[in-house]
Amino acid sequence: MQQETLEKVKDTIVDETTSILDFTFVFSDEISITVRGLLFVVVALLVTSFILNLIRKFITRKMPNNDKLKFVSVFGYIRWIVFLIIFLIAMHTSGVNVTAVFAASAALLIGVGLALQTLFQDIFSGIIILVDQSVHVGDIIELEGKVGRVLDIRLRTTRAVTIDNKVLVIPNHLYLTNILFNWTENGTETRESVDVGVAYGSDVQLVKKILLEVAEAQPTVLENPAPVVLFTDFADSSLNFKVAFTLNNSFEVRFTQSNIRFEIDKAFRENNITIPFPQRDVHMFSEK
């Protein structure tokens, strides 16, 4: 008697479980899926995630840290593409009419595609940056007049910090549509300059000597290569000079330029050298 009761309970549990697994979610006449199908899709995605993690660990086990971070970034988006493919295959295997799903959501997919156009441009640009290695973490870059030190390169955006400690979040597609200046592509040393004009009649050799002394006295200016002075132009109101110098930390170039300008002004005053300003002579005639 007890055995028969256990058998009945067992059969009841099996029937109820089967009934639950066969319960069907109907979204339309052509689109429906059972609980069994949903579980199959979930299991398929979990197995895929486990396998992808094993593949990622196997490939990156001997990579340097920098290359590993880049690979993980790219692999993250490949992972989502694989998930999408497995999801569609699992849905089709579960009996879902995938074609009908696409047909029913065609308008939505077109709208989403248009909305995500810039996102895909950012991702494509991010892949180019990571593979081409035109920009590295720590580089000083200038884009659209903004200068920053690169903190992090991701597939969609690049994060950089400015000299004012403000974070720039740069969409990667801007690298393809704008001219990018990488200040440190050839190393940390960069050539900078300060322009100044003096009045006509000034001793140009004395001006050159002062400019060199001021630049060489700056602790941030490198001794090799040594600063140089260029006589750049005979302008309308001034004789124009450029003092060029080399820095090892161009990220703080404006502080060095400011210090040099202060010292130039002081030295010119001490040596009676005038920095002119534009002047115009206006002649007035009266008609009689």
Side-chain angles (χ1 to χ4, degrees):
M1 186 68 178
Q2 185 176 4
Q3 184 66 28
E4 292 179 0
T5 303
L6 290 176
E7 289 294 333
K8 288 181 180 181
V9 172
K10 179 181 177 182
D11 292 340
T12 302
I13 293 175
V14 171
D15 291 340
E16 290 294 332
T17 303
T18 303
S19 176
I20 293 173
L21 292 176
D22 291 336
F23 179 80
T24 303
F25 296 96
V26 179
F27 301 97
S28 68
D29 294 337
E30 297 180 344
I31 304 174
S32 62
I33 187 172
T34 63
V35 174
R36 191 192 305 273
L38 285 175
L39 291 177
F40 176 77
V41 172
V42 172
V43 171
L45 293 177
L46 291 175
V47 172
T48 301
S49 177
F50 177 75
I51 294 174
L52 289 175
N53 284 334
L54 289 180
I55 293 174
R56 178 179 59 80
K57 291 179 180 178
F58 178 78
I59 294 177
T60 60
R61 70 189 190 283
K62 294 183 179 180
M63 280 187 177
N65 287 333
N66 290 337
D67 293 340
K68 184 182 295 185
L69 292 175
K70 295 175 182 177
F71 177 82
V72 169
S73 297
V74 176
F75 189 80
Y77 282 87
I78 296 175
R79 179 191 184 99
W80 285 110
I81 294 174
V82 173
F83 276 154
L84 178 60
I85 295 173
I86 295 299
F87 175 77
L88 294 176
I89 293 174
M91 292 285 283
H92 179 73
T93 305
S94 302
V96 178
N97 189 346
V98 178
T99 304
V101 173
F102 281 122
S105 57
L108 175 62
L109 292 176
I110 292 174
V112 171
L114 293 174
L116 296 179
Q117 183 178 2
T118 303
L119 174 62
F120 291 141
Q121 290 179 349
D122 289 336
I123 293 173
F124 179 72
S125 303
I127 293 174
I128 291 178
I129 293 170
L130 292 172
V131 174
D132 185 58
Q133 297 190 6
S134 56
V135 178
H136 302 81
V137 173
D139 283 354
I140 299 173
I141 62 172
E142 179 180 350
L143 188 66
E144 293 186 335
K146 298 178 177 63
V147 178
R149 189 190 300 277
V150 177
L151 295 177
D152 185 25
I153 302 174
R154 302 178 183 179
L155 281 186
R156 193 181 68 82
T157 60
T158 296
R159 293 172 63 249
V161 61
T162 69
I163 194 171
D164 301 313
N165 201 32
K166 298 175 182 177
V167 176
L168 293 173
V169 180
I170 307 169
N172 286 334
H173 76 270
L174 293 179
Y175 291 116
L176 298 182
T177 57
N178 294 274
I179 296 176
L180 170 71
F181 293 96
N182 190 334
W183 291 11
T184 52
E185 176 72 18
N186 294 326
T188 58
E189 296 180 4
T190 58
R191 198 71 165 167
E192 308 294 344
S193 63
V194 170
D195 296 314
V196 65
V198 300
Y200 275 89
S202 301
D203 186 343
V204 295
Q205 293 301 323
L206 177 59
V207 171
K208 178 180 178 180
K209 178 175 178 293
I210 291 173
L211 294 179
L212 285 176
E213 289 176 351
V214 168
E216 291 169 351
Q218 293 299 312
T220 55
V221 172
L222 299 181
E223 297 180 0
N224 187 24
V228 295
V229 174
L230 304 176
F231 192 158
T232 58
D233 195 14
F234 292 94
D236 292 339
S237 303
S238 64
L239 305 174
N240 292 341
F241 292 83
K242 179 191 294 289
V243 54
F245 48 89
T246 303
L247 298 179
N248 193 35
N249 183 10
S250 57
F251 193 55
E252 299 184 358
V253 58
R254 66 178 184 176
F255 296 116
T256 300
Q257 290 174 328
S258 175
N259 291 337
I260 288 177
R261 292 187 182 103
F262 274 119
E263 294 302 319
I264 288 175
D265 180 73
K266 177 182 177 182
F268 279 4
R269 291 177 185 275
E270 292 174 351
N271 289 273
N272 297 319
I273 296 175
T274 304
I275 299 177
F277 54 88
Q279 301 182 49
R280 293 290 185 271
D281 292 332
V282 179
H283 300 276
M284 301 181 67
F285 299 92
S286 60
E287 296 182 359
K288 296 182 180 180

